[in-house]
Amino acid sequence: MIRLFVALDLPAELKTHLAMLAGGIPGAKWVPPENYHLTLRFIGEVENWRAQEVDDALANIRARPFELALTGAGLFEKAGRVQSIYISAARNESLGFLACKIETALQRIGLQPERKKFTPHVTLARTDKAAPEKLISWVQAHNLFRAAPLMVEHFTLFSSQLGKQNSVYTPEVDYALAA
Ligand code: 3AM
């Protein structure tokens, strides 16, 4: 079995820039900068033969490169607790189009549909043990954040090994976007 997700990896300079936003919230578990990514589709645990099918399905996707800007901050909450804080992606039709193509390709090979709305984001911290006021202040303080736009020229299939402290994410395959 292998645990998989599809994501955009981020350039090292952008990871460094985002890492400057981390810190200062007691109880928050900050994601190590090398793990920053923008998830396009979580897949979960699959058999190895299924992983091969996923790879084949992703390799057949055709989409054009596009520019993407990260801007603004947000939080996800569940049952009244803030689960995580993140930096968002600016509204971007090409990104939505790519995520949609990935969803369609994965459903076509029999994966269950993703029910959650696609909210493009880069998680900076898991926060269920932090004080909500601090998290809201962090979001307000970083709402005007804007990183230099990046050119997205590929997307990546990652494997994930869950760890006690942090998960280890390994880029398994890159899929080029071509004009
Ligand atoms: O992109 P982020 O960091 O928000 O939370 C996990 C991480 O999301 C999410 O997949 C990304 C890579 O691990 N994830 C983990 N388990 C999940 C699940 N069961 C999940 N997303 C949906 N359902």
Side-chain angles (χ1 to χ4, degrees), residues 85-167:
I85 52 176
Y86 60 79
I87 291 297
S88 340
R91 220 182 125 72
N92 188 312
E93 222 172 79
S94 303
L95 180 65
F97 180 69
L98 177 60
C100 195
K101 284 207 149 188
I102 292 169
E103 180 62 31
T104 307
L106 295 178
Q107 283 187 29
R108 205 176 286 139
I109 58 163
L111 267 66
Q112 288 303 307
E114 172 62 70
R115 302 255 166 239
K116 271 191 278 172
K117 185 173 145 279
F118 177 53
T119 309
H121 67 277
V122 179
T123 300
L124 292 203
R126 317 252 167 226
T127 55
D128 49 324
K129 296 195 175 67
E133 318 79 72
K134 296 268 184 211
L135 298 167
I136 290 163
S137 307
W138 184 91
V139 170
Q140 285 171 346
H142 295 102
N143 241 334
L144 296 178
F145 172 85
R146 192 172 181 92
L150 68 133
M151 200 62 201
V152 177
E153 292 178 307
H154 65 271
F155 63 98
T156 303
L157 179 63
F158 283 89
S159 65
S160 157
Q161 283 171 290
L162 299 179
K164 270 239 163 61
Q165 277 301 311
N166 290 301
S167 298

Side-chain angles (χ1 to χ4, degrees), residues 3-7 31 35-45 76 84-86 114 116 119-126 158-162 167 169:
R3 186 179 173 89
L4 297 174
F5 66 96
V6 186
V31 173
N35 277 4
Y36 292 161
H37 62 272
L38 187 153
T39 300
L40 294 165
R41 173 57 145 94
F42 177 75
I43 297 176
E45 295 269 346
F76 286 129
S84 60
I85 52 176
Y86 60 79
E114 172 62 70
K116 271 191 278 172
T119 309
H121 67 277
V122 179
T123 300
L124 292 203
R126 317 252 167 226
F158 283 89
S159 65
S160 157
Q161 283 171 290
L162 299 179
S167 298
Y169 299 149

Side-chain angles (χ1 to χ4, degrees), residues 9-19 33-34 36 150:
D9 201 355
L10 304 174
E13 322 81 77
L14 181 53
K15 288 179 177 168
T16 306
H17 191 181
L18 291 171
E34 68 269 20
Y36 292 161
L150 68 133

Side-chain angles (χ1 to χ4, degrees), residues 2 12 20 31 33 39 52 56 71 83 117 120 123 143:
I2 182 166
M20 285 159 45
V31 173
T39 300
Q52 187 58 58
D56 293 342
T71 178
Q83 298 291 311
K117 185 173 145 279
T123 300
N143 241 334

